[in-house]
Amino acid sequence: MELSPQKQRTRRAILDAAAGEWAQDPAVSLGSIAAAAGVGRATVHRYFPDREHLRSALTSDSWAALHAAIVQAAPGSGSVLEVIDRIVSAMVHVGDRALFLFASTGEEPSRADASIAGAVDEILVAEIRRGQQGGELDSTVPALWIQRMVWSIVYTGLHAAGDGLVARHGVDDLIRWTLRGAISARDERGVGAGSAPTGR
């Protein structure tokens, strides 16, 4: 059954709150999520019967949001380093949902979630391989290693922003600067070199 606009907003508020709370503490209570969403716990249960229903819905919603953001980053358009810059910004924009997905990596995904997660990885790996073949990225390391590095540095950057180490509005610049130094082809490492962005 399709929800009314008001109910869609309420459902979205609950999912947003769950992403923010669970990204920081996977054990946080539904009561805390309800408070963060500005609704009562009974309202949360009307939309999501229990914790597992909410977690499942948030996982699907988070993968969908991440996939949509990465597709909007226009993979395949422009240089690979520029595309990876845009993908990093897309991941940072998803924010709490990306952190939530990191915190949920040990859980067995549903078939639908596994499919869209695979699509996200395929986009990133395809860009990395394109960059290695074209000489933009270091071809001496496996593409899957670079893919994991991208995820890891994004995760580190988002956590650093959450801890107040860097400003959220500047963290993607710091992530991109770090990545370019790590994954660029050896003769490209001097491009754009200089002082690291502060993120402040």
Side-chain angles (χ1 to χ4, degrees):
M1 183 177 66
E2 188 173 347
L3 297 176
S4 68
Q6 176 60 47
K7 288 184 177 180
Q8 289 176 11
R9 286 192 292 271
T10 300
R11 186 178 188 275
R12 172 61 49 191
I14 294 169
L15 288 171
D16 289 346
E21 294 296 308
W22 276 339
Q24 302 304 316
D25 179 6
V28 76
S29 69
L30 290 183
S32 295
I33 291 171
V39 300
R41 182 162 179 160
T43 299
V44 172
H45 283 294
R46 280 200 296 273
Y47 288 84
F48 306 99
D50 55 35
R51 187 182 188 88
E52 288 313 306
H53 277 84
L54 176 54
R55 183 173 290 277
S56 176
L58 179 58
T59 299
S60 297
D61 186 75
S62 297
W63 278 119
L66 182 60
H67 181 260
I70 288 176
V71 167
Q72 287 183 344
S77 175
S79 78
V80 170
L81 287 171
E82 290 171 348
V83 171
I84 290 179
D85 282 352
R86 296 197 298 267
I87 287 175
V88 164
S89 292
M91 289 177 162
V92 171
H93 179 73
V94 172
D96 288 336
R97 280 172 169 71
L99 284 174
F100 167 76
L101 291 173
F102 272 110
S104 305
T105 52
E107 300 177 12
E108 189 69 22
S110 68
R111 182 176 300 178
D113 291 339
S115 176
I116 196 167
V120 167
D121 285 337
E122 285 172 10
I123 291 170
L124 183 53
V125 172
E127 286 301 314
I128 292 167
R129 287 180 173 148
R130 181 167 75 92
Q132 290 178 318
Q133 291 167 2
E136 286 187 76
L137 303 187
D138 192 340
S139 60
T140 65
V141 295
L144 293 179
W145 175 266
I146 295 178
Q147 175 218 18
R148 292 190 179 192
M149 187 183 298
V150 171
W151 277 100
S152 178
I153 295 177
V154 169
Y155 174 74
T156 299
L158 287 171
H159 256 301
D163 292 342
L165 179 63
V166 294
R168 187 64 170 263
H169 68 269
V171 71
D172 52 342
D173 287 338
L174 188 56
I175 292 169
R176 288 194 294 263
W177 179 85
T178 304
L179 271 174
R180 284 200 175 215
I183 70 178
S184 296
R186 296 183 187 278
D187 60 353
E188 296 280 343
R189 292 176 194 264
V191 176
S195 300
T198 64
R200 294 288 180 185

